[in-house]
Amino acid sequence: MGVSLPDRPSFCAVQHAFLFADPAAHSRSPEMHRAAFAHAGISGEYTARRVPPAELPAAVVGLRQPGVLGANLSLPHKTAALSLLDDLTPAARAIGAVNTVIHRGGRLTGDNTDAPGLLAALADVDAPTGGLSVVLGAGGAARAAVYALVSAGHTVMIVNRTHARAQALAAELGGRAAWPETVPWSAVTLLVNASSAGLDAPDESPLSPFVPLEARAVVYDMVYRPAETRLMREARAAGLRAENGLGMLAHQARLAFRAWTGADVPVGVFLGALAGGRMPQPEGGA
Ligand SMILES: NC(=O)c1ccc[n+]([C@@H]2O[C@H](COP(=O)([O-])OP(=O)(O)OC[C@H]3O[C@@H](n4cnc5c(N)ncnc54)[C@H](OP(=O)(O)O)[C@@H]3O)[C@@H](O)[C@H]2O)c1
């Protein structure tokens, strides 16, 4: 089954972007992108579609239609889409995951805006750069984080519940796999939780017990529900700055929107859309 698009002639001014995910119903991306279309004065629509894995190839074919800007991909499609596209950006190829598909003249390019989205969110909070960073997790989000931080010159250690996955990630993308006991925590200036620990679980932490970090360290939790995770709570109690993943969510959307439309909409528009309603539902970044 393909993507059912409105029956519009190709010269129609209304442009479309989609989210393909399964589930997709709770996504906050439509609110962010609708706000961006309105801000940029572009006549556009953004629709979240539940696309089961078996239907992804047909859904991707549908993106080649005139009037379609592209799509965001979220769980479980970020990796499966790699083989369905014409081109991949260097970031998407290295990370091995696509969260943004860009349509130009019938060709589809896969990009990953999670990685630059994280760096932009870290820059917004003046997170230290170039020091020792620890990434917790070894799934798709951790891959984007390690790629981003290594590219930005951080020394990266990767700690994951399943150590072998941290080792595989380090071998592929750089950084060094570590056990919690072997990390020199007092020298860590950036801690990124890219694991699912804490998601919908206010009492769960990926770093338990919490350990003191360098005094100016920032703790960045990609999880944003609850808005303050246990990791953030304990970091703040230790006198450290801690942020949830809403900034990254907004920036990855901003970068996707810019790739589709060329419009550089301020991140505040995306953050405003997220703040305007109920708390965002986790959706793996898109
Ligand atoms: N803010 C954003 O824009 C943004 C973007 C992308 C993702 N995210 C969030 O990032 C998180 C990870 O997403 P993902 O796509 O990488 O998921 P994923 O591919 O399923 O990976 C999950 C990772 O979390 C680890 N993990 C799961 N439960 C854990 C626990 N109780 N304790 C310790 N480690 C645990 C897993 O360890 P094992 O290897 O041992 O299974 C694995 O490394 C999700 O919460 C997602 O919502 C946020």
Side-chain angles (χ1 to χ4, degrees), residues 75 78 114 136-142 160-163 165 193-199 204-206 220-224 245-246 248-250 252 282-286:
L75 294 173
K78 289 186 178 187
D114 282 338
L136 304 176
N160 188 48
R161 182 176 62 180
T162 308
H163 186 69
R165 291 188 74 197
N193 177 33
S195 82
S196 314
L199 175 62
E204 185 178 68
S205 169
Y220 194 86
D221 200 333
M222 285 195 195
V223 171
Y224 45 82
L246 282 178
M248 178 180 170
L249 185 70
Q252 63 76 30
E283 49 182 286

Side-chain angles (χ1 to χ4, degrees), residues 15-34:
Q15 305 178 80
H16 292 80
F18 295 89
L19 168 70
F20 297 157
D22 187 11
H26 298 298
S27 172
R28 301 301 307 276
S29 290
E31 288 153 80
M32 287 195 287
H33 288 289
R34 285 171 192 157

